């Protein structure tokens, strides 16, 4: 074992120095099914067998055929402008059922009866029950046109005729099969296929759209590129990739086969529900309108039609497409959230700053790091421990010398109002003296080899390892129990979890992962479930964290691997990045892609995991990380220590200021995650979400919105001392107004060059007129210690003299907010009621007895000094508010010490 571990370390060091080894990972040409599907150049000839049509309340069913193969089509009506299109083998003739990853969905999608189904001539027209979506099914060739509620054709399925499905079969020696149909070789590995190839594919066209987004995870631009004729398709196949390349469509750690397209007039989305390896060829084109049906004359007025076409190709599964009709980015996001779920409101501490490295060496090291943050007045909420904290890479254990009293360590960190996180990976060390291994062996909880008899074995950090089968309900039940405080010895309620290597990573396997012909519970091949394996693992971990307090406390869990629905139980980080400027620059596109694909709690490791960042790079990275949802610094074991105080005084002061800015904004971040849990909107958003008609922002990736209120544009280029930003000019039907977030000074729309000296300048951030941002101004050592602190409101007026926002607070820890309204949610509104008067109101709901009071209100964009300001609380008599000050240069009115709890309703009247 030691020799293998040494070899693994050698491989890791080589990867560290030479970057990703492309030859270890397949290209499309090396993937038999991808090569076959990509080579389709003419229509596969499928038609609808019209006499087989069946119409039921909420489903349309029919047979498809190409003359040889028969397939079954089902179109299902769903609520809220959604349709589901499935193409499968007929159940009555299939020799094996195809896997549908229903675990990815947030329950069974709610069906809705169709308003009408009309079959006439060569097409069938289906109108969804809410009339927000319509499908037109064409008989020959088989094509589905999908319309939004405005009657716009926005999506087509199989317009390019690329529908193809390899049905499960038995081998016939008299048949000439395509290369790789029954077995496939890659380097020294052979993949057996006992049922033959089961690949599926179809093209999906977003009609009238030039730009599309999604398909995470790739270290590439936010707006998807055209891959046809230029690169490999985008690949979704969860893999452990060291120091990944930038601008490459190769697979990484997360697979979310979701695509959103946007234009000025509409937004639409499609979700490809398939857990097998998937390649997606993409192309943005302009086509002559004459190439399409005459009905387009009523839909598309221009002489040419822009289209974004995607060709989805999966190794197994079925064609299972959810169509989201929009027609706005917010509506599409809501439709996605309704289908795949949302991130439940995280505990407050998890939105603070996380300090991590591989590895803090012992308890004294942890205590020193904890104390140094206090010594340098830098807030921090979580200290992380990587694999070296264990006893020989055996998870749920502690190193007997370096971490011999974990409870004492945890209690010491908790005394500062902080938490800890330990890593727990899915590979189980093959050691009969290791309780978890012995239990799993005795209970038959491991994944099997292709023979479905012997347990699958591979190598990872511990050396020889076996891998738990989280599709087995007994495995899940066992895993959940391991997080109980009496099972995970030394753990306390202040310890949380990090699931890494869960793609799964197998150092000795093909493409550094599990053999595809390995067998899971129920006889499923690993090829069918690969991309959801990591999610099955982290959802079991989430359930364990939940069960240890009998559902009282909110879990916090970070996972590297993810799939559709991951957001319901885990945060995601962008994996093993590097201390390079290109990796800093790609952090925003990667986290934006994950955000719009339904995974909002995302971040990139500050400073880069591999390598040693320069002081300039590290400071700039803190500027970026502090304005993304998950904020963690992390580093490889071979890198130099990089805690903030180990750099120059100027650099440390800059990092401290940036981290403190993050803590000041925590009430706003917390309210955004509450809003996400209700609406599905991600806290980190592309600009076009808020300014959908401004085409110049459709492919913007160097700036983003935090909620609807803040536009962030940090520096990501080496040596830069300024940044150019273009602030949107229009906000719906009115002119946009902007204010410097840090100073409150008004800022005109349009292009600006902002000076950003490395050590002195704050992150370039602007507050949008019409918004209210709650902040904390008393920064303490951790978020937990600030939870009851007074709140300041930053009220920025729009062109109509109005603003809206929310203050949200609960106990910051438990699930009590879900029961009995144990929260307070105050709706804040500012209205200009006449040329000489305005008012600000707060209307709270909820029963949580919050201790936070309003200590200051700063109103931005006030054109003149008031003559009087008065306030009434809970409908009582109005009283003069004396503590106010007007700054004419900044056009800012500051109301000091209104001294009212956020649980009380109040009105502030302002006379001019």
């Amino acid at each position: 074992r030691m020799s293998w571990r040494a070899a693994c370390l050698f491989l890791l060091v080589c990867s560290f120095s030479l970057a990703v080894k492309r030859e270890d990972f397949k290209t499309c040409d090396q993937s038999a099914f991808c090569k076959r599907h990509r080579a389709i150049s003419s229509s596969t000839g499928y038609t609808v067998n019209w006499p087989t049509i069946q119409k039921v309340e909420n489903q349309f069913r029919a047979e498809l055929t190409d003359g040889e193969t028969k397939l079954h089509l089902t179109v299902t009506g769903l609520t809220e402008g959604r349709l589901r299109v499935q193409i499968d083998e007929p159940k009555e003739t299939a020799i094996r059922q195809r896997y549908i990853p229903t675990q990815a969905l947030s329950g069974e999608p709610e069906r809705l009866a169709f308003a009408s189904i009309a079959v006439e001539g060569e097409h069938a027209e289906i109108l969804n029950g809410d009339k927000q979506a319509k499908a037109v099914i064409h008989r020959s060739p088989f094509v589905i046109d999908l319309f939004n509620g405005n009657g716009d054709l926005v999506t087509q399925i199989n317009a390019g005729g690329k529908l193809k499905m390899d049905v499960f079969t038995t081998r016939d020696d008299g048949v000439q099969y395509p290369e790789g149909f029954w077995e496939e070789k890659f380097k020294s590995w052979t993949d057996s296929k006992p049922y033959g190839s089961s690949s599926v594919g179809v093209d999906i066209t977003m009609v009238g759209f030039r730009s599309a987004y999604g398909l995470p995870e790739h270290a590439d631009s936010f707006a998807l590129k055209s891959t046809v004729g230029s690169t490999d398709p985008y690949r979704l196949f969860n893999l452990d990739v060291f120091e990944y390349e930038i601008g490459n469509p190769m697979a990484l750690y997360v697979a979310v086969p979701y695509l959103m397209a946007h234009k000025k007039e509409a937004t639409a989305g499609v979700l490809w529900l398939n857990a097998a390896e998937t390649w997606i060829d993409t192309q943005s084109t302009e086509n002559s309108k004459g190439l399409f049906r005459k009905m387009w004359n009523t839909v598309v007025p221009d002489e040419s039609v822009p289209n974004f076409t995607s060709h989805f190709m999966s190794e197994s599964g079925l064609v299972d497409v959810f169509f989201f009709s929009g027609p706005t980015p917010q509506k599409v996001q809501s439709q996605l959230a309704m289908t795949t779920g949302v991130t439940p409101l995280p505990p407050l501490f998890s939105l603070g700053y996380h300090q991590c490295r591989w590895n803090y060496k012992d308890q004294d090291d942890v205590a020193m790091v904890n104390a140094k943050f206090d010594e340098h007045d830098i807030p921090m909420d979580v200290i992380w421990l990587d694999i070296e904290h264990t006893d020989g890479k055996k998870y749920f254990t502690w190193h007997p010398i370096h971490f011999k009293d974990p409870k004492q360590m945890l209690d010491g960190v908790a005394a500062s109002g902080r938490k800890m996180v330990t890593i727990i990976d899915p590979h189980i060390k093959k050691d009969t003296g290791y309780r978890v291994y012995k239990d799993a062996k005795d209970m038959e909880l491991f994944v099997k080899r292709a023979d479905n008899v012997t347990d699958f074995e591979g190598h990872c950090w511990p050396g020889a390892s076996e891998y738990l089968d989280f599709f087995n309900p007994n495995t899940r039940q066992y895993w959940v129990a391991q997080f109980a405080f009496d099972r995970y010895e030394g753990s306390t309620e202040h310890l949380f979890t990090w699931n890494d290597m869960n793609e799964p990573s197998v150092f000795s396997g093909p493409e550094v992962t599990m053999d595809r012909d390995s067998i899971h519970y129920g006889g499923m091949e690993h090829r069918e479930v690969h991309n959801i394996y990591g999610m099955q693992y982290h959802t079991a971990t989430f359930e364990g964290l939940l069960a240890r307090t009998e559902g009282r406390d909110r879990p916090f869990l970070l996972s590297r691997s993810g799939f559709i629905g991951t957001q319901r139980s885990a945060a995601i980080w962008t994996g093993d990045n590097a201390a390079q400027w290109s990796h800093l620059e790609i952090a925003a596109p990667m986290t934006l892609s994950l955000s719009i694909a339904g995974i909002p709690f995302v971040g990139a490791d500050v400073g880069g995991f591999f390598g040693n960042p320069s002081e300039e790079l590290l400071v700039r990275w803190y500027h970026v990380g502090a304005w993304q949802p998950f904020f963690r610094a992390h580093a490889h074991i071979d890198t130099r220590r990089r805690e903030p105080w180990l750099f120059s005084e100027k650099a440390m002061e800059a990092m401290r200021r940036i981290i403190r800015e993050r803590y000041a904004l925590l009430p706003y971040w917390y309210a955004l995650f509450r809003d996400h849990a209700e609406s599905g909107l991600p806290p980190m958003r592309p600009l076009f979400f808020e300014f959908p008609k401004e085409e110049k922002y459709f492919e913007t990736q160097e700036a983003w919105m935090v909620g609807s209120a803040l536009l962030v544009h940090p520096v990501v280029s080496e040596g830069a001392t300024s940044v150019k930003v273009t602030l949107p000019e229009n906000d719906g039907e009115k002119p946009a107004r902007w204010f410097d977030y840090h100073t409150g000074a008004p800022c005109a729309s349009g292009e600006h060059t902002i000076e950003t000296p490395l050590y002195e300048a704050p992150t370039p951030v602007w507050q949008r007129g019409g918004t209210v941002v709650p902040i904390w101004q008393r920064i303490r050592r951790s978020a937990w210690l600030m939870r009851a602190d007074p709140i300041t409101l930053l009220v920025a007026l729009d062109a109509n003299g109005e603003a809206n926002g929310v203050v949200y607070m609960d106990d910051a820890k438990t699930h009590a907010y879900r029961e009995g309204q144990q929260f307070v949610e105050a709706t804040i509104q500012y209205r200009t009621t006449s040329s000489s008067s305005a008012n600000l109101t707060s209307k709270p709901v909820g029963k949580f007895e919050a201790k936070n009071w309003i200590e200051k209100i700063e109103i931005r964009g006030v054109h003149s000094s008031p003559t009087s300001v008065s306030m009434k609380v809970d409908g009582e008599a109005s009283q003069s508010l004396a503590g106010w000050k007007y700054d004419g240069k900044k056009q800012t009115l500051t109301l000091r010490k209104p001294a009212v709890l956020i649980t009380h309703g109040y009105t502030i009247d302002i006379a001019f």
Side-chain angles (χ1 to χ4, degrees), residues 678-873:
E678 298 290 316
S679 69
L681 287 175
M684 183 180 182
R685 305 170 191 174
L687 264 66
F688 74 78
F689 260 52
E690 298 300 325
F691 304 96
K693 296 188 181 300
E694 299 215 28
E695 292 186 71
K696 58 178 169 286
Y697 300 116
F698 286 3
E699 299 192 2
T700 295
Q701 62 182 30
E702 67 278 1
W704 61 91
M705 299 294 295
V706 174
S708 62
L710 301 177
L711 190 156
V712 183
H713 195 310
V715 173
V716 293
S717 300
E718 185 175 12
T721 57
S722 65
V723 65
K724 286 187 176 181
V725 63
T726 303
L727 299 176
E729 297 178 5
N730 298 303
D731 197 344
E733 300 301 318
K734 59 183 181 293
R737 293 186 78 189
W738 295 97
F739 302 86
D740 185 302
Y741 166 73
H742 304 283
T743 67
C747 191
S749 298
E751 188 172 299
H752 300 268
T753 298
I754 308 300
E755 297 302 317
T756 56
L758 178 62
Y759 299 113
E760 296 82 11
T763 312
V765 180
W766 293 264
Q767 185 177 1
R768 178 187 186 182
T771 64
V772 178
V773 174
I775 63 171
W776 277 321
Q777 291 191 313
R778 303 183 186 188
I779 309 303
R780 304 184 193 275
R781 63 174 61 164
S782 72
W784 176 250
L785 298 179
M786 297 167 64
R787 67 192 185 281
D789 277 355
I791 286 174
T792 290
L793 300 179
L794 304 180
V795 181
L797 305 186
D798 65 13
N800 296 332
E802 298 182 354
N804 301 280
V806 167
V807 175
Y808 175 84
M809 198 55 62
D810 54 32
D811 68 13
K813 177 184 178 183
T814 76
H815 289 107
Y817 72 94
R818 292 177 171 174
E819 303 171 1
Q821 288 197 317
Q822 286 302 304
F823 62 85
V824 57
E825 189 169 36
T827 300
I828 311 295
Q829 290 187 332
Y830 184 100
R831 294 292 182 267
T832 298
T833 52
S834 73
S835 60
S836 59
S837 63
N839 62 57
L840 184 146
T841 61
S842 176
K843 297 178 179 179
V845 295
K847 299 179 180 178
F848 179 63
E849 296 182 2
K851 306 302 182 193
N852 315 78
W853 53 279
I854 303 296
E855 67 174 345
K856 186 168 71 172
I857 301 173
E858 183 178 295
I859 306 171
R860 298 170 167 183
V862 179
H863 292 298
S864 61
S865 179
T867 56
S868 66
V869 180
S870 60
M871 179 177 182
K872 53 186 175 184
V873 178

Side-chain angles (χ1 to χ4, degrees), residues 388-458:
E388 309 304 330
H389 84 277
T390 62
D391 180 7
K393 313 298 187 298
K394 293 178 287 190
Y395 303 108
F396 300 105
T397 69
W398 302 88
H399 193 284
I401 297 174
H402 300 148
F403 295 93
K404 62 183 178 182
D405 194 346
K407 189 174 185 304
Q408 180 190 57
M409 173 183 65
L410 285 161
D411 288 346
V413 171
S416 299
R418 296 177 176 135
K419 317 293 182 187
M420 292 193 70
V421 165
T422 51
I423 196 167
I424 298 177
D425 293 345
H427 48 261
I428 303 301
K429 184 175 184 176
K430 189 177 180 182
D431 181 344
T432 55
Y434 176 26
R435 174 181 59 81
V436 176
Y437 174 78
K438 187 177 186 305
D439 288 349
K441 201 72 172 174
D442 292 344
M443 297 170 68
E444 297 188 357
L445 304 183
F446 289 119
V447 176
K448 300 293 185 183
R449 294 190 185 277
D451 60 12
N452 202 17
V453 176
T454 56
D455 290 340
F456 174 83
E457 182 179 320

Side-chain angles (χ1 to χ4, degrees), residues 61-206:
R61 302 170 189 153
E63 179 186 278
L64 306 178
T65 181
D66 65 353
E68 295 181 3
T69 303
K70 293 181 179 180
L71 303 176
H72 186 73
L73 166 70
T74 304
V75 179
T76 305
L78 304 175
T79 57
E80 296 293 329
R82 298 174 296 159
L83 292 170
R84 186 177 189 178
V85 177
Q86 294 172 295
I87 302 173
D88 197 358
E89 297 183 49
K91 297 286 193 295
E92 58 273 15
T93 59
I95 67 171
R96 192 168 185 270
Q97 298 303 305
R98 289 176 177 261
Y99 174 67
I100 303 175
T102 54
Q103 306 97 317
L105 304 178
S106 182
E108 180 65 25
E110 185 179 354
R111 295 186 181 185
L112 181 66
F114 293 130
S116 63
I117 303 177
V119 180
E120 45 187 69
E122 291 289 294
H123 69 272
E125 185 171 303
I126 304 168
L127 183 62
N128 209 23
D130 56 14
K131 300 183 180 179
Q132 296 304 304
K134 183 176 74 172
V136 176
I137 300 172
H138 298 271
R139 188 188 71 81
S140 181
F142 163 64
V143 177
I144 301 180
D145 295 333
L146 297 166
F147 298 77
N148 64 19
N150 296 329
D152 299 325
L153 176 62
V154 291
T155 304
Q156 288 185 304
I157 297 176
N158 203 43
K162 295 183 184 296
L163 173 62
K164 177 178 173 59
M165 179 176 286
D166 293 330
V167 298
F168 288 121
T169 188
T170 54
R171 192 161 194 160
D172 184 342
D173 291 336
V175 174
Q176 183 69 37
Y177 294 100
E179 181 184 0
F181 194 91
W182 288 101
E183 71 174 24
E184 192 167 345
K185 296 183 182 296
F186 177 66
K187 302 183 79 169
S188 62
W189 292 277
T190 299
D191 173 25
S192 64
K193 302 178 184 181
Y195 307 99
S197 173
S198 55
S199 68
V200 300
V202 76
D203 56 282
I204 301 176
T205 303
M206 309 306 286

Side-chain angles (χ1 to χ4, degrees), residues 896-909:
R896 299 187 181 278
K897 296 185 178 179
V900 58
L901 288 169
I902 63 173
T903 54
H904 292 292
Y906 58 88
T907 300
I908 297 176
D909 292 305

